């Protein structure tokens, strides 16, 4: 009987506890490939870096659409059905990606199957974020969002790459991709244990027409311009993360001379730091204001640590220095966590649409990040790309100045 009060005290809705576990496991499966897939496709499968960049760019475009759909469809169907749709897409098209694309060395199928698989994880993960906003008191929403990002980042960016680090020497890089599929299935099955009724209810108003609800995440961007600013901040938040996937494994192994295992460790340590500070950032947002934390910890902090993450390892070729700079970047990246609480409180009467706009920004980053790398890397090199990322973070900090943040008590909570 003591478990529910404890969960309440630390900011986790008790009815969603298995949802957080399922999200963690699912994102481990999705994150298995992130630390080595680009290098694997280039160095072992013989695809050019340009073709690999295109794969990730197209993947990002479909994921961007799925980020928006995750909230828009939750308005119509309820979050649970959207999550299982995402899991089904991921499973089917991952099989096609590995068996038909990689193993058959069929680039068109590789490109198409990976692109469609991009719908999978945003529908699963971000529909659960919508579920959280429907089941959490506004006064604790920042902390609950911190727990969402704790589970999301722990799986995708820390435990997933570390699972690959352990599995690759034992079963090889190709079989590690199949291992990711097994973990994905386990994460989806854990969601069957969640009994919270808000997962089966549409998050839109009862009299909301389905088409209007579907488009609300777009129309709100020009009806309320501050939501556009918030969407852009959320997009900038993740642009470097998805850009790093394209070129950082190659940069660390080729130019810095690190082993693949060392790069995977650097990547994992970055997000171990991020995991811890996700919780800290959510708590700080509840206490000091969502926009304040995003501006200084997220925008300005990431601008500085992005440059440190490039120049200090490049100057020293030190594995220890690389670990330290990755910890600093991961910590400041967590400063954007309060955006998940800020957007719905900026539009308490249209929370589903606000979350759709937020998710659209996150989704656009999956395409814009690799696209920036594809354009800037040949022109300016790795250092130039990192400066582009740093300046975008400064822009994000400036955009927070226009975000109006109501007091937590002013935002009504959906029953």
């Amino acid at each position: 009987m003591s478990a529910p009060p404890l969960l309440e005290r630390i900011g986790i809705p008790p009815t969603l506890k298995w949802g957080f576990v399922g999200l963690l496991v699912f994102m481990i499966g999705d994150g298995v490939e992130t630390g080595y897939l680009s290098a694997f496709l280039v160095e072992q499968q013989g695809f050019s870096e340009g073709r690999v960049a295109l794969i990730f760019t197209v993947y990002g475009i479909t994921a961007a659409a799925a980020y928006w759909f995750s909230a828009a469809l939750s308005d119509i169907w309820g979050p649970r059905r959207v999550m299982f749709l995402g899991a089904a897409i991921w499973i089917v098209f991952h099989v096609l990606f590995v068996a038909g694309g990689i193993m058959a060395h069929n680039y068109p199928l590789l490109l198409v199957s990976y692109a469609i698989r991009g719908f999978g994880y945003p529908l699963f993960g971000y529909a659960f974020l919508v579920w959280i906003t429907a089941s959490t008191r506004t006064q604790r929403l920042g902390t609950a969002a911190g727990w969402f990002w704790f589970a999301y980042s722990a799986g995708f960016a820390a435990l997933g790459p570390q699972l690959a680090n352990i599995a690759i020497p034992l079963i090889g890089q190709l079989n590690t991709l199949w291992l990711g599929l097994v973990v994905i299935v386990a994460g989806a099955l854990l969601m069957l244990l969640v009994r919270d009724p808000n997962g089966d209810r549409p998050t839109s108003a009862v009299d909301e027409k389905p088409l209007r609800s579907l488009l609300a995440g777009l129309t709100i961007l020009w009806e309320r311009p501050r939501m556009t600013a918030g969407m852009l901040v959320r997009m900038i938040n993740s642009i470097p993360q998805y850009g790093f996937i394209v070129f950082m494994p190659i940069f660390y192994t080729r130019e810095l001379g690190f082993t693949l295992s060392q790069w995977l460790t650097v990547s994992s340590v970055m997000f171990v730091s991020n995991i811890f500070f996700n919780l800290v950032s959510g708590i700080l947002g509840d206490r000091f204001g969502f926009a304040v934390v995003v501006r200084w910890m997220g925008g300005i902090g990431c601008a500085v640590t992005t440059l440190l993450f490039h120049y200090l390892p490049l100057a020293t070729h030190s594995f220890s220095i690389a670990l330290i700079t990755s910890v600093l970047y991961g910590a400041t990246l967590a400063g954007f966590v309060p955006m998940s609480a800020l957007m719905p409180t900026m539009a308490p009467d249209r929370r589903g649409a606000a979350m759709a706009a937020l998710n659209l920004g996150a989704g656009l980053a999956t395409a814009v990040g690799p696209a920036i790398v594809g354009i800037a890397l040949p022109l300016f090199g790795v250092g130039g790309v990192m400066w582009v990322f740093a300046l975008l973070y400064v822009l994000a900090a400036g955009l927070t100045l226009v975000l109006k943040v109501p007091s937590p008590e002013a935002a009504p909570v959906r029953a």
Side-chain angles (χ1 to χ4, degrees):
M1 298 299 291
S2 61
L6 174 62
L7 292 174
E8 289 277 12
R9 286 197 298 271
I10 64 175
I12 295 178
T15 56
L16 295 181
K17 59 182 183 295
W18 283 111
F20 285 95
V21 177
L23 175 68
L24 172 67
V25 174
F26 189 95
M27 296 312 299
I28 290 173
D30 191 66
V32 162
E33 67 194 38
T34 57
Y36 78 94
L37 182 59
S38 61
F40 173 66
L41 293 175
V42 171
E43 296 173 0
Q44 294 197 23
Q45 299 299 308
F47 296 109
S48 69
E49 292 183 15
R51 281 191 158 196
V52 171
L54 178 60
I55 289 172
F56 283 103
T57 300
V58 176
Y59 173 85
I61 292 171
T62 58
Y67 277 72
W68 171 63
F69 274 118
S70 64
L73 292 177
S74 294
D75 264 1
I76 302 170
W77 295 341
R80 189 194 302 272
R81 291 176 65 184
V82 178
M83 293 181 72
F84 281 110
L85 173 62
I89 291 173
W90 203 104
I91 292 167
V92 171
F93 287 94
H94 185 74
V95 172
L96 290 175
F97 170 66
V98 179
I102 295 177
M103 296 177 67
H105 210 75
N106 184 331
Y107 181 76
L109 183 57
L110 188 77
L111 180 67
V112 171
S113 60
Y114 197 63
I116 298 176
R117 205 201 79 179
F119 284 100
Y121 83 90
L123 290 177
F124 187 91
Y126 283 78
F128 186 60
L129 181 58
V130 175
W131 197 342
I132 291 171
T133 65
S135 300
T136 306
R137 292 183 295 114
T138 302
Q139 293 82 355
R140 302 290 289 169
L141 189 53
T143 305
W147 279 110
F148 169 85
W149 289 110
F150 178 95
Y152 186 100
S153 299
F156 180 74
L159 298 178
Q162 274 306 303
L163 178 59
N165 198 17
I166 296 170
I168 287 173
L170 299 176
I171 62 177
Q173 296 189 26
L174 181 64
N175 287 331
T176 300
L177 293 175
W178 289 119
L179 176 62
L181 175 64
V182 174
V183 179
I184 284 286
V185 172
L189 291 176
L190 282 169
M191 297 306 301
L192 296 173
L193 300 176
V194 182
R195 295 289 183 261
D196 184 90
N198 286 312
D200 301 308
R201 299 170 181 166
T203 56
S204 64
V206 175
D207 59 349
E208 186 88 27
K209 294 182 179 180
L211 181 60
R212 181 179 176 182
S213 178
L214 192 62
L215 296 176
L218 296 178
T219 59
I220 198 174
L221 295 177
W222 58 80
E223 291 172 356
R224 306 186 188 188
R226 286 190 177 91
M227 304 303 288
T228 302
M231 184 272 289
L232 292 173
V233 171
R234 180 63 186 89
M235 180 180 72
I236 293 170
N237 166 204
S238 294
I239 282 175
Q241 179 181 349
Y242 291 101
F244 288 166
I245 293 173
V246 177
F247 72 94
M248 273 300 199
I250 299 170
F251 172 70
Y252 262 72
T253 55
R254 285 187 183 176
E255 296 193 32
L256 298 186
F258 291 5
T259 66
L260 177 61
S261 177
Q262 285 177 316
W263 159 247
L264 290 173
T265 301
V266 169
S267 178
S268 295
V269 166
M270 174 197 305
F271 289 100
V272 167
S273 167
N274 180 254
I275 290 162
F276 172 75
F277 281 96
N278 280 343
L279 297 177
V280 173
S281 176
I283 294 170
L284 292 176
D286 283 336
R287 182 168 299 181
F288 298 111
F290 302 141
V292 171
V293 175
V294 173
R295 182 180 310 133
W296 293 106
M297 183 177 175
I300 301 302
C302 281
V304 174
T305 58
T306 295
L307 297 176
L308 293 179
F309 188 44
H310 170 65
Y311 284 108
L312 289 183
L314 181 63
T316 63
H317 284 250
S318 166
F319 180 57
S320 299
I321 293 297
L323 290 175
I324 292 171
T325 56
S326 70
V327 167
L328 293 175
Y329 176 74
T332 54
L333 187 64
F336 288 95
V337 160
M339 286 301 300
S340 300
L342 173 60
M343 290 288 274
T345 57
M346 285 172 59
D349 58 323
R350 299 181 65 186
R351 289 192 172 211
M355 292 304 296
L358 177 77
N359 291 354
L360 177 63
L364 289 173
T366 67
V368 175
I372 287 176
V373 174
I375 295 170
L377 188 61
L379 297 175
F380 309 115
V382 173
V385 174
M386 299 300 269
W387 270 101
V388 171
F389 290 161
L391 292 174
L392 285 173
Y393 279 130
V394 173
L395 174 61
L399 287 172
T400 63
L401 296 173
V402 305
L403 302 182
K404 182 180 179 181
V405 187
S407 64
E409 292 77 11
V413 180
R414 177 181 179 273

